[in-house]
Amino acid sequence: MLLHNEVVSFGVVPNEEVFFTIGVVYEGTKRVYCRGKQYCFASGDLFCVGRECCRVENIPSKHYPYKEVVITFSFEELQQLTPWFNDLIADNRLRQSAHDIGPVAGCEADAAVLGIFNALRQSPLPPSFTKRQGILKMLSDYTDGMVLRVALSNLDSRNLLLNNVVRNNRFRHATIDDLAEQCHCSRSSFKELFHKHYDTSPYHYFLEQRLEKAQSLLTGSSCSISEISEICEFNSPSHFARIFRSYFACSPSEYRRQQQLKKWL
């Protein structure tokens, strides 16, 4: 009977979300499924796996349990490295665009890479973020930027997911917790990510989107004020009128009349 798989992990603490993983397979085979593709990594391979991956299998060899050593990063930790990423791109030190590689990649681990992970296995203390950042930089150099390109691809994937979630919920009664769950992150992480991407809070962004749609309907449709209030997901026609007036200094009915008069002038 085989022993349990041996996965030695350094990095993200249990209450944080693992967003990016870099590791070396020591025994067995690792299979990663993402975007309809299957990636296989065997003993002696370095692998990079992002949050987007839908399924991972760690398969033991015939006589020994599966073994790997990994370092992990949260989304917030990778975001702290964004200035460094930008400097590398500006200096043209990444040999390929971040968009030329997907959220998963790997290569054979050379002696230098194995030395890094062997040292991790023997270290009595888990590496700090500063040390993991240094390891990330070294691995990028040893792999001609592959590790960084995968990290950048995963950051792009998170922003793309955010855009999709926001677009699909602009006119729905979705709470911050609902949106955060759809983005696979915590409430605080979602609010921070949203503000960095849209430069405003979720509340103000969604409100502005609904008001813009209301303006369009008031100008280009025959829908009643009550119908527009419902379409744009306001709590009631009176709530819609109050919010509209606070932004545009007139009621929805007055705005509609003003726009109709402009057409005749």
Side-chain angles (χ1 to χ4, degrees):
M1 181 176 176
L2 293 177
L3 300 174
H4 292 296
N5 291 347
E6 180 185 328
V7 178
V8 182
S9 178
F10 302 100
V12 177
V13 297
N15 62 338
E16 290 183 303
E17 180 190 26
V18 174
F19 185 74
F20 184 61
T21 301
I22 310 169
V24 168
V25 178
Y26 280 83
E27 187 69 45
T29 303
K30 188 180 195 72
R31 291 179 183 167
V32 180
Y33 302 86
C34 183
R35 298 180 183 176
K37 296 182 179 179
Q38 175 182 297
Y39 303 82
C40 290
F41 305 104
S43 177
D45 285 344
L46 171 75
F47 60 85
C48 309
V49 177
R51 176 65 178 80
E52 185 183 348
C53 303
C54 60
R55 186 159 59 93
V56 175
E57 295 177 346
N58 295 334
I59 304 169
S61 63
K62 187 174 182 180
H63 300 291
Y64 299 98
Y66 175 86
K67 295 181 181 180
E68 71 177 20
V69 175
V70 299
I71 57 172
T72 60
F73 295 86
S74 67
F75 179 71
E76 289 74 14
E77 288 175 331
L78 282 186
Q79 285 252 300
Q80 292 181 47
L81 295 170
T82 299
W84 175 53
F85 294 152
N86 292 337
D87 289 342
L88 289 177
I89 294 172
D91 293 342
N92 203 24
R93 290 173 60 189
L94 291 182
R95 298 185 182 180
Q96 301 178 40
S97 165
H99 299 287
D100 291 339
I101 197 166
V104 183
C107 63
E108 184 177 353
D110 60 17
V113 171
L114 288 174
I116 292 172
F117 282 91
N118 288 336
L120 280 173
R121 295 180 76 184
Q122 298 168 10
S123 175
L125 298 174
S128 64
F129 169 63
T130 300
K131 185 170 183 179
R132 284 182 286 120
Q133 177 181 336
I135 293 172
L136 183 66
K137 292 180 178 181
M138 286 189 291
L139 291 174
S140 177
D141 290 336
Y142 293 142
T143 61
D144 293 332
M146 179 197 76
V147 169
L148 278 185
R149 293 198 302 276
V150 177
L152 284 169
S153 174
N154 280 278
L155 284 172
D156 287 346
S157 297
R158 173 56 67 89
N159 289 329
L160 178 61
L161 176 60
L162 173 66
N163 289 335
N164 290 335
V165 168
V166 168
R167 185 175 62 252
N168 292 336
N169 288 275
R170 284 180 299 172
F171 308 112
R172 297 177 181 173
H173 282 300
T175 67
I176 298 296
D177 290 331
D178 292 335
L179 298 173
E181 183 177 357
Q182 292 179 53
C183 287
H184 310 297
C185 62
S186 67
R187 179 188 178 93
S188 59
S189 295
F190 172 79
K191 291 173 72 174
E192 182 179 355
L193 174 63
F194 192 100
H195 196 279
K196 287 180 179 179
H197 196 69
Y198 292 100
D199 197 30
T200 188
S201 69
Y203 171 79
H204 286 103
Y205 177 85
F206 285 114
L207 181 57
E208 289 171 359
Q209 291 290 304
R210 290 166 182 168
L211 287 170
E212 286 181 8
K213 184 170 184 177
Q215 283 181 295
S216 176
L217 291 171
L218 287 167
T219 304
S221 79
S222 59
C223 294
S224 68
I225 303 301
S226 179
E227 289 171 335
I228 293 174
S229 170
E230 184 176 354
I231 291 171
C232 296
E233 293 289 349
F234 288 95
N235 294 334
S236 66
S238 60
H239 175 245
F240 169 47
R242 185 171 63 255
I243 296 294
F244 194 94
R245 183 181 288 277
S246 70
Y247 269 75
F248 303 110
C250 65
S251 70
S253 298
E254 291 169 340
Y255 180 85
R256 171 171 271 173
R257 285 196 295 270
Q258 291 172 6
Q259 298 305 309
Q260 289 173 341
L261 283 175
K262 287 180 180 179
K263 292 180 180 179
W264 291 102
L265 296 178

